[in-house]
C-alpha cells in the first residue's frame, strides 16, 4: 500500500495566524512528509467556505512542486463541474511539466450545494458534467487534435499543443455508488473513495474492470483518513480536539455526523463524545498512540481493496510542533505496517488475466 499525505488548507476565523502563514505551514508539512517517505501529497478543493478552505489547487500544487523533488502531488479532488475541462487539462499538463512528471489528477462531482448555487451550476447535472468533462480531458491527454460535441460542451478542432510529461498521467475519479464505479471502470481509470462504502462496491469495480479488459491489479483504489498521533492517548486528544471538532462541524452540512452546522461556533465536547462522532464519519479521525492508530487504520484499510491511503495530519488550531511530531511517530511506528499490507485481490488479480 502507498501511504500518502493529504493537506486541506483551512483557517478558522478565531485563529491568530494569517491566511498566508496557514498556506506556508501546509506547504512546509508536505516538505516534511517527503523527508519522512510519504509517497504522495494530495490537496482538496472547496469554495466560499467560512473557514477559507482552499479554492485554488493548481497554484498551491505548483508551489509544492517547487519545494519538493520526489513526492507525487495531486488534486483530491478537482470538482470538475465547476471548471472548464480544457482549462483543467492545460493546467494539469503544465503542473506535470513543472513537477518533473509527478502530478496525478483526481476529479469528482462535488457535493456541497451552496458551491453549485454560487457557481450557478445545476447540482442535478453534476455527474453528467463530471463524466463528459472527464472524457474531454482524456482526449486532451491522448490526442493532438480532436472535436467534441456533447450535452454540455462543444469544441470544434481543439489542438492540444501542451501535453503532460508523463506518457499516461494517472487519473482518479471519486465514486461512491454502483453507477459511478462502473463508469470509472469502463474508462480504465483509478477510483477514489469507493472502498469507504464497503467491499461490495470494490468487488463491482474490479469485476467491471475485467469485463472491459483491464487488470484490477493495475488500477488503484484511494482512501482518505484523518490522523493525529502522540505519545499517549490523553495528549493526542488534547492536541487534536479543536481540529477534530472543526472537521466534524464542517462535515455536518452533509448529514454524516450528528452535529448541527453552525459555522464552527459549537463548544468543543468532551473527548469521549468526540470519539463517537469521529468514528461515525465516513472519513474518520484516528487519534491516539501509534499502536492505537495503527490498529484502527489497519482495520479500516483491510475492509476492502485499497492501494493508496492519504492522511491528513493538520487541522485548524494545530501547533506545527505537534503536527510534525505526529507525522514523525506515524512514519516510524505506523507506516511500515500499512506499507506491508496488501489485499489478496492485488496478488491474485494479475493471474486472472
Amino acid at each position: 500500500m502507498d501511504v500518502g499525505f493529504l493537506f486541506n488548507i483551512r483557517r478558522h476565523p478565531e485563529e491568530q495566524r494569517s491566511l498566508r502563514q496557514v498556506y506556508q505551514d501546509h506547504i512546509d508539512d508536505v516538505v516534511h512528509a517527503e523527508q519522512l517517505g510519504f509517497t504522495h501529497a494530495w490537496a482538496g478543493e472547496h469554495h466560499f467556505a467560512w473557514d477559507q478552505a482552499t479554492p485554488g489547487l493548481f497554484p498551491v500544487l505548483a508551489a509544492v512542486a517547487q519545494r519538493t523533488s520526489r513526492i507525487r502531488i495531486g488534486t483530491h479532488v478537482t470538482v470538475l463541474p465547476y471548471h472548464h475541462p480544457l482549462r483543467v487539462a492545460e493546467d494539469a499538463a503544465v503542473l506535470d511539466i513543472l513537477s518533473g512528471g509527478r502530478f496525478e489528477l483526481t476529479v469528482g462531482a462535488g457535493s456541497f450545494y451552496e458551491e453549485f448555487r454560487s457557481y450557478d451550476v445545476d447540482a442535478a447535472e453534476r455527474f453528467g458534467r463530471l463524466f463528459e468533462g472527464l472524457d474531454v480531458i482524456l482526449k486532451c491527454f491522448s490526442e493532438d487534435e480532436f472535436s467534441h460535441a456533447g450535452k454540455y460542451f462543444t469544441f470544434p478542432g481543439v489542438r492540444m499543443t501542451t501535453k503532460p510529461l508523463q506518457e499516461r498521467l494517472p487519473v482518479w475519479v471519486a465514486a461512491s455508488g454502483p453507477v459511478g464505479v462502473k463508469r470509472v471502470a469502463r474508462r480504465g481509470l483509478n477510483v477514489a473513495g469507493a472502498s469507504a462504502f464497503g467491499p461490495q462496491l470494490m468487488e463491482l469495480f474490479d469485476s467491471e474492470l475485467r469485463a472491459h479488459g483491464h487488470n484490477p491489479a493495475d488500477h488503484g483504489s484511494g482512501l482518505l483518513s484523518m490522523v493525529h498521533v502522540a505519545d499517549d492517548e490523553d495528549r493526542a486528544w488534547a492536541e487534536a480536539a479543536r481540529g477534530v471538532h472543526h472537521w466534524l462541524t464542517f462535515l455536518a452540512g452533509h448529514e454524516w455526523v450528528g452535529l448541527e452546522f453552525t459555522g464552527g461556533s459549537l463548544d468543543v465536547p468532551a473527548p469521549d463524545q468526540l470519539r463517537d462522532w469521529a468514528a461515525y464519519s465516513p472519513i474518520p479521525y484516528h487519534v491516539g498512540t501509534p499502536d492505537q492508530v495503527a490498529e484502527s487504520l489497519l482495520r479500516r484499510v483491510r475492509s476492502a481493496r485499497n492501494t493508496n491511503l492519504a492522511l491528513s495530519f493538520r487541522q485548524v488550531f494545530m501547533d506545527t510542533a505537534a503536527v510534525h511530531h505526529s507525522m514523525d511517530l506515524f512514519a516510524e511506528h505506523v507506516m511500515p505496517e500499512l506499507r506491508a499490507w496488501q489485499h489478496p485481490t492485488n496478488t491474485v488479480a494479475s493471474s486472472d488475466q
Side-chain angles (χ1 to χ4, degrees), residues 89-142:
E90 290 179 323
D91 285 346
V94 170
L95 189 47
D96 197 47
I97 294 166
L98 289 175
S99 66
R102 292 185 283 137
F103 179 64
E104 304 190 7
L105 176 67
T106 304
V107 296
S111 57
F112 281 60
Y113 285 91
E114 61 273 18
E115 295 181 354
F116 284 95
R117 183 175 60 250
S118 296
Y119 271 112
D120 194 25
V121 175
D122 186 350
E125 298 177 348
R126 63 191 186 278
F127 292 107
R129 288 182 174 275
L130 166 64
F131 284 101
E132 185 176 334
L134 175 61
D135 288 340
V136 170
I137 291 171
L138 295 175
K139 289 179 182 178
C140 288
F141 291 165
S142 62

Side-chain angles (χ1 to χ4, degrees), residues 3 5 29-39 70-71 313 323-332 335-336 339:
V3 182
F5 187 79
D29 291 346
V30 180
V31 174
H32 192 61
E34 180 178 72
Q35 295 168 348
L36 293 174
F38 286 82
T39 60
R70 300 182 308 278
I71 195 168
F313 286 83
V323 171
H324 286 198
H325 185 57
S326 172
M327 294 170 65
D328 293 344
L329 288 173
F330 179 91
E332 181 178 359
M335 189 186 292
R339 283 184 166 169

Side-chain angles (χ1 to χ4, degrees), residues 78-195:
T78 294
V79 185
L80 200 51
Y82 306 153
H83 302 289
H84 195 294
L86 296 181
R87 177 79 265 175
V88 172
E90 290 179 323
D91 285 346
V94 170
L95 189 47
D96 197 47
I97 294 166
L98 289 175
S99 66
R102 292 185 283 137
F103 179 64
E104 304 190 7
L105 176 67
T106 304
V107 296
S111 57
F112 281 60
Y113 285 91
E114 61 273 18
E115 295 181 354
F116 284 95
R117 183 175 60 250
S118 296
Y119 271 112
D120 194 25
V121 175
D122 186 350
E125 298 177 348
R126 63 191 186 278
F127 292 107
R129 288 182 174 275
L130 166 64
F131 284 101
E132 185 176 334
L134 175 61
D135 288 340
V136 170
I137 291 171
L138 295 175
K139 289 179 182 178
C140 288
F141 291 165
S142 62
E143 301 179 24
D144 294 329
E145 186 170 353
F146 68 90
S147 296
H148 174 86
K151 181 176 180 179
Y152 303 104
F153 305 103
T154 298
F155 305 128
V158 175
R159 288 188 293 176
M160 191 67 178
T161 57
T162 301
K163 300 281 191 179
L165 188 61
Q166 298 173 87
E167 183 175 348
R168 184 174 174 81
L169 187 148
V171 177
W172 300 71
V173 185
S176 58
V179 174
V181 299
K182 287 181 179 180
R183 289 178 173 179
V184 179
R186 184 165 66 244
R187 292 164 172 82
L189 303 175
N190 306 300
V191 69
S195 60

Side-chain angles (χ1 to χ4, degrees), residues 107-291:
V107 296
S111 57
F112 281 60
Y113 285 91
E114 61 273 18
E115 295 181 354
F116 284 95
R117 183 175 60 250
S118 296
Y119 271 112
D120 194 25
V121 175
D122 186 350
E125 298 177 348
R126 63 191 186 278
F127 292 107
R129 288 182 174 275
L130 166 64
F131 284 101
E132 185 176 334
L134 175 61
D135 288 340
V136 170
I137 291 171
L138 295 175
K139 289 179 182 178
C140 288
F141 291 165
S142 62
E143 301 179 24
D144 294 329
E145 186 170 353
F146 68 90
S147 296
H148 174 86
K151 181 176 180 179
Y152 303 104
F153 305 103
T154 298
F155 305 128
V158 175
R159 288 188 293 176
M160 191 67 178
T161 57
T162 301
K163 300 281 191 179
L165 188 61
Q166 298 173 87
E167 183 175 348
R168 184 174 174 81
L169 187 148
V171 177
W172 300 71
V173 185
S176 58
V179 174
V181 299
K182 287 181 179 180
R183 289 178 173 179
V184 179
R186 184 165 66 244
R187 292 164 172 82
L189 303 175
N190 306 300
V191 69
S195 60
F197 295 89
Q200 294 82 5
L201 203 57
M202 282 307 302
E203 290 166 4
L204 175 62
F205 177 65
D206 289 348
S207 175
E208 288 292 312
L209 283 172
R210 294 187 184 96
H212 290 88
H214 304 295
N215 184 346
D218 297 330
H219 295 79
S221 168
L223 189 66
L224 309 179
S225 280
M226 308 294 171
V227 169
H228 187 70
V229 189
D231 298 291
D232 63 75
E233 185 178 8
D234 289 341
R235 178 180 173 183
W237 278 104
E239 293 172 343
R242 295 189 79 182
V244 173
H245 176 254
H246 172 265
W247 171 245
L248 297 176
T249 305
F250 181 81
L251 291 181
H254 292 284
E255 81 262 0
W256 285 346
V257 292
L259 290 171
E260 179 184 357
F261 182 74
T262 60
S265 62
L266 291 173
D267 292 332
V268 179
D272 286 346
Q273 192 172 10
L274 274 178
R275 287 186 184 93
D276 293 339
W277 284 336
Y280 184 63
S281 167
I283 307 178
Y285 223 120
H286 305 267
V287 178
T289 65
D291 287 343

